[in-house]
Amino acid sequence: MNGRIRVDDELSIGGQLTPEDIDSLRNEGFRSIIDLRDPCEPDMALWTHEEAEKAAWVGVVHVHCPVPVGELARDRLDLFLETLSQLPKPCFVHGHNGRRAMAIAIVARALEKGLSGEEAVGEAKARGVAFEDAEQEVFIRDSIDLYATTGPA
């Protein structure tokens, strides 16, 4: 797994999982996993169905909620928020390398807390989130500000 970041008591994010990672998550008390990867993405450590089978085997709820790389359309965000609200916590959310999971988690939590894009980015940095580049930070900040004004799709 490509690192793990604890967003809050209910949500952690990271990169794709191996069977051993799923065992570790279960042993650490995680009760659910959301896989954001598209089934057609290259270089998957586990195919989505394999990951779901392993999670079920160890008693962790697994949901596939694909979000295309580099895109955070409002309907995808709304689906993610609805899915997350219904899952047992704590929940681990991942994509391929963790960038997509980080973006969607920060946007989701900011909207739930009523934070502006700037406040959410500041809070993320205070928690140790290191944005890979200014473009990623701007994308997250602008997504929060846009979605906060438009409401659910």
Side-chain angles (χ1 to χ4, degrees):
M1 177 172 42
N2 299 330
R4 187 179 324 162
I5 297 172
R6 183 174 169 261
V7 175
D8 57 32
D9 291 339
E10 295 187 339
L11 184 64
S12 292
I13 57 174
Q16 61 182 326
L17 302 172
T18 65
E20 295 78 20
D21 293 326
I22 296 170
D23 287 332
S24 294
L25 289 171
R26 175 63 180 132
N27 292 337
E28 293 170 32
F30 283 86
R31 298 180 58 211
S32 59
I33 296 170
I34 299 176
D35 180 358
L36 302 174
R37 298 173 303 166
D38 186 290
C40 299
E41 289 182 32
D43 303 322
M44 288 184 160
L46 286 175
W47 292 102
T48 298
H49 72 278
E50 294 170 322
E51 185 176 293
E53 289 170 5
K54 174 63 178 178
W57 181 256
V58 299
V60 175
V61 177
H62 183 278
V63 176
H64 184 224
C65 183
V67 174
V69 174
E71 180 182 321
L72 189 51
R74 185 60 199 235
D75 64 330
R76 296 278 91 199
L77 178 62
D78 290 341
L79 178 60
F80 173 81
L81 290 170
E82 179 65 23
T83 300
L84 182 62
S85 73
Q86 295 177 12
L87 289 175
K89 311 296 186 293
C91 180
F92 182 78
V93 179
H94 78 90
H96 185 77
N97 63 16
R99 284 183 60 140
R100 174 178 15 182
M102 178 179 62
I104 201 165
I106 291 170
V107 172
R109 285 302 192 227
L111 294 175
E112 289 174 353
K113 294 178 176 182
L115 300 177
S116 70
E118 196 64 41
E119 291 168 330
V121 166
E123 185 179 281
K125 286 180 178 178
R127 287 189 168 274
V129 172
F131 295 98
E132 292 189 16
D133 52 45
E135 183 179 308
Q136 183 186 35
E137 185 176 330
V138 168
F139 172 77
I140 291 169
R141 187 179 61 236
D142 290 352
S143 294
I144 293 166
D145 292 338
L146 172 66
Y147 295 150
T149 59
T150 60

